[in-house]
Amino acid sequence: MPLIELKHVSKVFPVRQGILQRVRAEVQAVANVSLQIYPGETLGLVGESGSGKSTLGRLAMRLIDSTDGVVRFDGEDVTKRRGKGLRTMRAGVQTVFQDPFAAFNPLLPLRVSVSEPLQVHRGQSQKESMTRLRELMPLVGLSASHLDRYPREMSGGQLQRMAIARALTVEPRLIILDEPISALDVSTQAQVINLLEELQRQLGVAYLLIAHNPGLVRHASDRIAVMYLGEVVEIGSAGDVYDAPKHPYTHALLSAVTVPDPDVQRTRQRIILRGDVPNPADPPSGCRFHTRCPLALDICSSDVPEPFVLDNGGVVRCHLHTTGPKLAGRPIVDLDIPAVPQTIAL
Ligand code: SF4
């Protein structure tokens, strides 16, 4: 059974303007997304800036309400939960954000901030929570003395370890990692990823890993979901998605990733997309990717592609698998893709 399940979840944000703050437009940040995260797995979420990845993470944690759809945690519908029921669910889903320096109050010693989840979710005093905090420090590669320091006395990597410790205090079953290493220097990034992998082996915690670096996501994920303009366009095992992408957007996104084998790297074709990501307040009709897709068919501008379930269990939303060339689940490389001289912004 999935730990978290999102079913046809959408999120619309109103855009307000003027003195009266009238609603002038609506942005559909997440559109009809269905996915599951299973116990102990890492689901990587990739896509360009503004694709809706972070909003999806906040919906999964119920930090914001969905406009449509259902969120289930451990088999229970938590879409409309409020008060104590919501707090209980949130104790099982913790978050680690991108900037560790923004995650802690600079005026308080770290032990105060790190013990917060225990006070909120377990009703413990700060004194009572110290036993758990001291237990956690070696697990994240720090010592108990670090708890008495202030954020300014720590490096970025140490602070991110503290943020991970804070997430672990209440023994969550899922941690949402929202760009957890992009604010760190390169040498520290690998250490934090190795730490997260080791913690997962020891504790069996699941991760939703949101990152704009597709190379990192491949290394650290069991499955990968690819988002474009609020929609999940492809989802599957990390190997299947990276080695044989089925959606033109996935293919373009991943073509920018350098592979370690120089012989394989030499044979790879970089797919460069035309144009910018469209305005999410006015998304293109039909397939949202059709204005940039080098393989678009006539049907793509009018009909929304339905999910196509692949033999390997993955899902792709693209007319190429059901119409025209009828890829029917075969990888995009089975087609000739014209090179279009423009850029993709990650
Ligand atoms: Fe391209 Fe059409 Fe597939 Fe969309 S549905 S990705 S426009 S081929």
Side-chain angles (χ1 to χ4, degrees):
M1 181 171 70
L3 187 56
I4 284 253
E5 182 174 23
L6 306 184
K7 231 173 165 187
H8 304 298
V9 167
S10 298
K11 179 66 185 175
V12 175
F13 291 108
V15 179
R16 296 178 190 279
Q17 279 177 345
I19 298 173
L20 298 176
Q21 289 288 289
R22 290 219 168 94
V23 176
R24 298 289 181 200
E26 289 187 329
V27 173
Q28 194 169 26
V30 169
N32 194 19
V33 166
S34 296
L35 55 78
Q36 300 86 26
I37 303 172
Y38 292 89
E41 78 160 348
T42 299
L43 176 69
L45 194 55
V46 292
E48 290 165 279
S49 304
S51 59
K53 307 185 296 291
S54 294
T55 304
L56 191 65
R58 290 158 70 204
L59 286 165
M61 201 183 168
R62 284 285 335 273
L63 281 178
I64 53 174
D65 289 331
S66 56
T67 312
D68 261 316
V70 174
V71 181
R72 287 204 180 90
F73 181 70
D74 224 2
E76 287 187 35
D77 185 344
V78 295
T79 321
K80 305 278 182 217
R81 264 201 199 170
R82 296 274 180 273
K84 190 163 176 256
L86 182 58
R87 276 201 302 280
T88 307
M89 178 251 164
R90 282 205 188 129
V93 187
Q94 295 289 302
T95 316
V96 173
F97 292 106
Q98 176 178 1
D99 182 0
F101 289 95
F104 295 98
N105 186 331
L107 302 176
L108 297 175
L110 286 160
R111 68 184 135 74
V112 178
S113 304
V114 177
S115 64
E116 259 169 21
L118 287 167
Q119 293 166 33
V120 172
H121 296 296
R122 302 264 169 94
Q124 292 186 3
S125 68
Q126 210 209 306
K127 200 170 161 201
E128 288 167 335
S129 62
M130 285 310 288
T131 309
R132 175 74 179 142
L133 299 197
R134 287 198 195 96
E135 246 172 51
L136 283 170
M137 287 302 103
L139 216 56
V140 297
L142 297 172
S143 69
S145 65
H146 285 105
L147 289 165
D148 293 322
R149 294 194 189 176
Y150 287 80
R152 65 176 179 277
E153 298 173 305
M154 304 277 276
S155 68
Q158 286 175 322
L159 264 191
Q160 200 59 310
R161 286 168 187 267
M162 256 323 162
I164 294 166
R166 177 167 62 185
L168 291 173
T169 49
V170 286
E171 300 168 88
R173 298 177 63 199
L174 171 70
I175 301 180
I176 295 173
L177 303 162
D178 193 351
E179 305 273 5
I181 60 165
S182 44
L184 305 178
D185 62 59
V186 176
S187 60
T188 314
Q189 288 182 351
Q191 293 170 14
V192 171
I193 287 297
N194 290 341
L195 170 66
L196 288 166
E197 289 180 335
E198 183 54 34
L199 290 170
Q200 189 172 53
R201 271 192 290 278
Q202 287 185 35
L203 308 173
V205 62
Y207 296 137
L208 173 62
L209 174 60
I210 300 168
H212 69 276
N213 176 344
L216 158 74
V217 173
R218 182 198 174 135
H219 167 78
S221 304
D222 301 300
R223 289 188 305 132
I224 286 168
V226 182
M227 282 193 85
Y228 182 78
L229 213 59
E231 295 180 336
V232 170
V233 296
E234 181 165 2
I235 187 165
S237 75
D240 286 335
V241 171
Y242 271 76
D243 297 339
K246 312 294 188 301
H247 193 282
Y249 177 65
T250 314
H251 190 223
L253 191 70
L254 302 186
S255 73
V257 178
T258 307
V259 297
D261 184 334
D263 292 333
V264 176
Q265 180 60 26
R266 263 194 295 277
T267 64
R268 283 165 63 88
Q269 182 198 8
R270 174 90 192 262
I271 309 295
I272 299 178
L273 294 176
R274 60 188 165 186
D276 296 323
V277 181
N279 179 0
D282 185 21
S285 57
C287 169
R288 291 184 171 201
F289 187 53
H290 85 259
T291 52
R292 302 173 77 200
C293 180
L295 300 168
L297 313 164
D298 287 344
I299 189 177
C300 300
S301 58
S302 56
D303 291 24
V304 176
E306 292 299 320
F308 179 88
V309 181
L310 305 160
D311 289 344
N312 58 20
V315 177
V316 60
R317 295 180 74 129
C318 171
H319 289 302
L320 286 173
H321 292 273
T322 51
T323 313
K326 286 201 171 41
L327 272 174
R330 286 181 292 124
I332 286 294
V333 288
D334 282 12
L335 297 172
D336 275 340
I337 300 181
V340 184
Q342 311 214 4
T343 51
I344 182 168
L346 293 178

